Amino acid sequence: MLGEKTKEVIRKAYKEIGQNLDNFSPRKQQTFLIAEIAKTLGGEYDKLRKHIAIEAGTGTGKSLAYCLGAIPLAMARNKKVIISTATVALQEQLVDKDLPFLQKNSGLDFDYCLVKGRQRYVCAQKLAQVTQGNAGGDDTQVALFQEKPKASDIRMLNTMSEKLSSGKWQGDLDSWPKSVPHHIWQTIQCDRHSCLKHLPEHTHCPFHKAREAMDLADVLVVNHALLLSDLELGGGKILTEPEDTIYVLDEAHHLPQITRDHSSAMATVKGAMDWLSKVSILSDKISKLSKNQRAISPSLKLADYCQEIIADLQKVSSFIEANRSVYFGDEQQYRFENGLIPKNLKNLAEDIAAASKKALAEITKLYNLLMEEVKDGAIQMYQAEGPLSESGFIMQRLENLEKIWAMYAKTDSEKGAPLARWLEQSDGNRDDVMVCASPIDVGFMLEDNLWSKCEGAVLCSATICALNSFDHFRRQVGLGNNDGTQYQRIGSPFDYQNNAVLHIPAMKTEPTNSDAFTDELIKIIPDLLKDNEANLVLFSSYWQMQKVAEALREKSKIEILVQGEDSRQKIIETHKKRCDQDKTSVVFGSQSFSEGLDLPGKYLTNLIITKLPFSVPTSPVDQAQSEYVKLKGGNPFMMLTVPEASKKLIQACGRLLRNEKDTGSVYILDRRLVSKRYGKELLDSLPPFKRDIAY
C-alpha cells in the first residue's frame, strides 16, 4: 500500500513546483495521473501486478506526472526508476529539461543519468590498437577493419585517441562533433566480449566510467533497445534487476515493433563460411601464444566445429541454389509459408545451431584462458590485445549464427504464433543469401522477461489506444485483460471544438484509384493551402508526394519544402524562418513527419492529410502475421491494418495543436472516412475537433 509519508512527499513536491513557477495552475488531468500512478505502483489495486497503461493526450504533462508518481515511491522502497523511451529526442528532453526542472523545483533529492548501450562507447583498447599498431601493426588494423583502413579513417581515429587521452572527449559516439562512418565505429566500439575491464589499465574506459555514474543514480534514462538487451540477458546484467526496478516506458506504442526487431536475427550463408574459414588462424595464434597446455584442446575443437559448420552451410547453399528459381525468380525475397521450412533444411539448421553453440563455448574457453594469463603476467598485454579483440568479434558472430539457425531449427508451438522465416538475396553479393527469422508475437516474451518480474511498470503514450480501445495494444505487449493491470485514458486539456476544424472535402475519387487520385490532389491542394501561414501536407506514398510536388511547382509555381530533398533539420529551419517572416510556407512530408514533429503556434496552422495511413503488409514479418490471423479465422485488415491506421491517423492529426493556444485546420482528403464502415470508427477515435464533413 502507498504509505502516508510517501503521499505527503508527493503532495509537497507538487506544491513546491507550483510555488517555484510563475503563473502555475494545477491541471486536473495531471494530478489525477500522479495519483493513479502512485496508487498502482503502491499496490493499492493489485499487490502483485503493479502495472498501468496510460494514454495521455498532448498537454497533460505526463512526464512530470510519472516522475512524481514513481520517483518518491521508488526512493522510499530503495528501488530504481528506469525511464525508457523510443526516441533520442525524448531522452534529451528528459535529461536536459524535465528531470533538472524536477530536481530544482520539487524539493526531491534524487540523482539521474542517461544510460547508453555499450556500443555507443569507444573501446579504449581497440582505439589504441588501430592507432598505435601495438599488437601487430598493419596486420592488426587489417584484421580489425577487415580491409586496410583509408588515410582519412586513421586521421579521424588519431584525433579521437588524442581527445580521449586529454579528457576533451568522454568517449561516446553521441558527443563526437562529427558524423562517424559506420565502418570506423564498428571497429572501435565497446562490446562485452572483447572488453578487458578486469585489467588495471582499462579501469578508466568510457563505458565503465559511465556505469559508475549509473550505479549512483536513482533514475536511469534509457532507450527501449537497451532495455530489451538487458532483459534478453535475463535482466540485471546491464541495468538493475527487474524486481528492484520500477519501469516507466514512455512512447510505449513503439514497444511491440522494437521488441520484434530486437528479437529477429539474420546471417548470410557464404559470408559466414568466409569468416568461419579464418577462425582456425585465430585459434592457432592463441594456442601458440598461450603458455597453458589447456589451450590446445579447445583450439583443436574450435577448428573442428567451424569446419562442421562450413560443411553444413555449403549444403544449405547448394540446397538454395538448386531451388533458386522457385524461391526467388524475379523477387528479392522468399518467405516460407506459415514459417514451415523443408525438412532437410530444418535438419541442417539443427546441426549448425548445435555446432555454433559448441564453437562458441570453445572460443570462450580460449578467451578466458588468455585473460587469466594476462592477469597472471604470463603473457604481456600488448601480445594478447589483438587475439582478444579478434576473439570478441568471432564470439559475437557465433552468437548471432547460433541464434538465427536455432530459430530455423525450432519447432513452433501449435498454441502460439509461428516464427516468420524467409530468405533474401544479398545486396552486396547476388550469389549469397541472407537467412532471416523474426517472431510475430512478442507479448509472451515481454510477459516472461518483464511484466512477471518487475516491481512495477508504467506504460504511457499519447497514442496507445486504437479505435478507442486498449485491446490491440494489450495483445501486442502481452498484458492480460484481467491480470491486475490498470488502464487510464486521459484526454488533452486543449479546446478542440473552438481551436480547430476537421474538414473532409467532397473528393471525387478514392485513393484506391492511384492515378486519378493523384491528379485530383494536384487540383485540390493549391486551393487548400493558406497564404502567409504554415502548411504541412502529409502523404502515405513517397512516390505520390514527389509527383504532386513536381506538378505544383511547375503549374502553380508554389515553393515547397519536400522531405528527402534536404535534411529534416534543414527543412524545419527553413520553414520556421519563412513563418517568422510571415511568409507562406509549405512542407510536404511522408509518414515519418506524422510523428515527433513539434511545430507549435504559428509554425503549423494548416494540416492536410492526403489519405488514410493504411500499411500494405509488404515485409515478410507483416505478411506472416496476416497469414497467421487468417489461419486462426480472423480478418487481418480489421484486426491489424485498421487499428494501426487509427494510431497513425491520431498521431498525424496531433501535429496541429501543440499547446492550449494553438489554432488551425485539418483536412483529410480520403472519402473512405465516410464511405466505408470502418470510417466511422476511425473518425470517432480522432480528437473532438469541430467537424465540417461533405456527405
Side-chain angles (χ1 to χ4, degrees), residues 22 50 72-73 85 112 141 153 216 236 247 265 281 333 390 397 415 445 459 475 486 602 624 633 639 644 651:
D22 295 331
K50 304 170 189 174
L73 179 70
T85 77
Y112 62 90
Q141 290 180 341
D153 295 343
L216 298 173
Y247 295 91
I281 300 172
Q333 297 175 335
E390 290 179 58
R397 286 171 168 171
K415 295 181 180 179
M445 299 163 67
L459 298 88
R475 287 192 297 269
Q486 302 300 301
K602 65 180 179 181
M639 291 184 67
E644 286 299 320
Q651 288 164 0

Side-chain angles (χ1 to χ4, degrees), residues 225-241:
L226 179 59
L227 172 62
L228 292 167
S229 294
D230 183 56
L231 296 175
E232 187 177 51
L233 295 171
K237 302 297 187 293
I238 304 172
L239 307 171
T240 51
E241 297 283 352

Side-chain angles (χ1 to χ4, degrees), residues 49-108:
R49 303 279 289 195
K50 304 170 189 174
H51 310 329
I52 183 169
I54 300 165
E55 179 175 276
T58 304
T60 52
K62 64 179 180 296
S63 59
L64 179 60
Y66 61 61
C67 285
L68 279 179
I71 293 174
L73 179 70
M75 294 179 70
R77 298 187 177 183
N78 197 29
K79 306 292 183 183
K80 291 255 192 189
V81 173
I82 291 180
I83 305 175
S84 182
T85 77
T87 62
V88 173
L90 183 52
Q91 281 185 313
E92 291 175 345
Q93 178 186 314
L94 285 162
V95 172
D96 298 335
K97 181 181 175 183
D98 295 344
L99 290 170
F101 166 82
L102 186 66
Q103 194 181 52
K104 180 180 179 181
N105 296 289
S106 68
L108 294 175

Side-chain angles (χ1 to χ4, degrees), residues 376-445:
D376 295 340
I379 300 175
Q380 295 300 309
M381 186 62 221
Y382 76 89
Q383 297 175 297
E385 279 184 325
L388 285 170
S389 289
E390 290 179 58
S391 297
F393 281 122
I394 299 301
M395 289 159 81
Q396 284 181 299
R397 286 171 168 171
L398 283 170
E399 278 184 344
N400 182 66
L401 200 65
E402 193 270 333
K403 181 179 180 180
I404 178 60
W405 287 106
M407 292 175 82
Y408 265 63
K410 181 178 180 288
T411 300
D412 294 325
S413 168
E414 293 182 4
K415 295 181 180 179
L419 292 172
R421 299 178 175 94
W422 71 98
L423 305 174
E424 287 185 14
Q425 294 191 85
S426 177
D427 290 333
N429 180 1
R430 292 285 293 181
D431 292 332
D432 204 355
V433 171
M434 185 88 72
V435 181
C436 313
S438 171
I440 296 172
D441 177 17
V442 295
F444 72 95
M445 299 163 67

Side-chain angles (χ1 to χ4, degrees), residues 396-633:
Q396 284 181 299
R397 286 171 168 171
L398 283 170
E399 278 184 344
N400 182 66
L401 200 65
E402 193 270 333
K403 181 179 180 180
I404 178 60
W405 287 106
M407 292 175 82
Y408 265 63
K410 181 178 180 288
T411 300
D412 294 325
S413 168
E414 293 182 4
K415 295 181 180 179
L419 292 172
R421 299 178 175 94
W422 71 98
L423 305 174
E424 287 185 14
Q425 294 191 85
S426 177
D427 290 333
N429 180 1
R430 292 285 293 181
D431 292 332
D432 204 355
V433 171
M434 185 88 72
V435 181
C436 313
S438 171
I440 296 172
D441 177 17
V442 295
F444 72 95
M445 299 163 67
L446 291 169
E447 168 61 29
D448 291 347
N449 296 334
L450 183 54
W451 315 135
S452 63
K453 292 181 178 180
C454 69
E455 169 67 15
V458 180
L459 298 88
C460 58
S461 171
T463 49
I464 280 185
C465 290
L467 304 174
N468 290 315
S469 171
F470 282 98
D471 288 348
H472 182 61
F473 176 76
R474 181 175 52 76
R475 287 192 297 269
Q476 285 183 311
V477 298
L479 293 172
N481 193 22
N482 297 299
D483 65 355
T485 301
Q486 302 300 301
Y487 297 90
Q488 289 292 344
R489 196 174 184 195
I490 311 299
S492 171
F494 297 166
D495 187 353
Y496 289 101
Q497 279 287 310
N498 293 314
N499 288 9
V501 180
L502 169 63
H503 303 272
I504 303 179
M507 300 287 288
K508 295 178 182 178
T509 54
E510 290 188 355
T512 48
N513 187 342
S514 181
D515 291 336
F517 183 68
T518 302
D519 292 339
E520 189 170 5
L521 289 179
I522 293 169
K523 291 178 182 178
I524 194 173
I525 285 177
D527 296 332
L528 301 181
L529 296 175
K530 297 185 178 179
D531 292 335
N532 305 319
E533 291 192 31
N535 302 269
L536 173 63
V537 187
L538 295 174
F539 293 82
S540 293
S541 163
Y542 199 82
W543 165 85
Q544 195 168 62
M545 176 180 72
Q546 292 178 312
K547 190 166 185 180
V548 173
E550 182 182 344
L552 295 190
R553 282 168 170 168
E554 182 180 338
K555 295 179 181 179
S556 306
K557 307 302 179 186
I558 298 174
E559 288 189 45
I560 306 171
L561 300 167
V562 181
Q563 180 185 356
E565 293 183 356
D566 217 327
S567 70
R568 180 178 173 125
Q569 182 179 354
K570 179 69 173 176
I571 288 173
I572 300 306
E573 287 175 356
T574 306
H575 169 73
K576 288 185 175 180
K577 185 177 180 180
R578 289 180 181 177
C579 294
D580 289 337
Q581 296 171 347
D582 295 323
K583 294 181 178 179
T584 303
S585 185
V586 181
V587 176
F588 276 18
S590 64
Q591 188 63 47
S592 63
F593 270 45
S594 299
E595 183 179 2
L597 189 64
D598 192 21
L599 297 171
K602 65 180 179 181
Y603 297 124
L604 181 57
T605 54
N606 192 40
L607 173 65
I608 301 171
I609 300 170
T610 56
K611 68 178 181 180
L612 298 177
F614 288 127
S615 296
V616 179
T618 53
S619 79
V621 183
D622 290 336
Q623 290 172 350
Q625 191 172 31
S626 295
E627 182 180 68
Y628 179 64
V629 169
K630 283 182 185 176
L631 188 66
K632 303 296 283 186

Side-chain angles (χ1 to χ4, degrees), residues 209-376:
K209 287 172 72 175
R211 282 300 178 267
E212 290 172 7
M214 184 190 90
D215 292 339
L216 298 173
D218 304 293
V219 180
L220 310 178
V221 179
V222 306
N223 62 30
H224 293 342
L226 179 59
L227 172 62
L228 292 167
S229 294
D230 183 56
L231 296 175
E232 187 177 51
L233 295 171
K237 302 297 187 293
I238 304 172
L239 307 171
T240 51
E241 297 283 352
E243 54 266 29
D244 294 326
T245 307
I246 291 173
Y247 295 91
V248 177
L249 295 108
D250 205 339
E251 299 178 316
H253 62 283
H254 285 292
L255 187 61
Q257 183 63 52
I258 293 176
T259 305
R260 197 166 74 177
D261 292 344
H262 184 82
S263 303
S264 64
M266 57 186 64
T268 56
V269 177
K270 291 184 178 179
M273 291 165 62
D274 184 54
W275 63 259
L276 281 164
S277 67
K278 299 171 184 175
V279 174
S280 59
I281 300 172
L282 173 62
S283 65
D284 287 345
K285 189 189 298 185
I286 295 175
S287 183
K288 291 175 182 176
L289 178 63
S290 175
K291 312 297 182 184
N292 197 320
Q293 291 295 309
R294 287 186 296 156
I296 298 174
S297 177
S299 177
L300 294 172
K301 288 181 180 179
L302 175 61
D304 288 343
Y305 291 137
C306 286
Q307 286 304 311
E308 284 183 31
I309 300 169
I310 290 170
D312 285 333
L313 286 173
Q314 183 60 61
K315 293 176 185 177
V316 170
S317 180
S318 299
F319 174 82
I320 294 173
E321 192 59 40
N323 292 278
R324 184 175 287 272
S325 60
V326 176
Y327 285 164
F328 297 113
D330 296 328
E331 301 297 323
Q332 188 73 12
Q333 297 175 335
Y334 175 80
R335 182 179 61 83
F336 294 101
E337 189 174 340
N338 296 314
L340 298 174
I341 61 175
K343 191 174 187 310
N344 52 349
L345 185 57
K346 187 175 187 296
N347 292 338
L348 286 169
E350 291 172 354
D351 292 341
I352 295 169
S356 298
K357 190 173 183 179
K358 291 175 182 176
L360 179 60
E362 298 306 326
I363 196 169
T364 302
K365 289 177 186 176
L366 288 174
Y367 178 88
N368 291 336
L369 281 170
L370 209 53
M371 284 288 287
E372 285 178 17
E373 292 185 84
V374 170
K375 290 179 199 175
D376 295 340

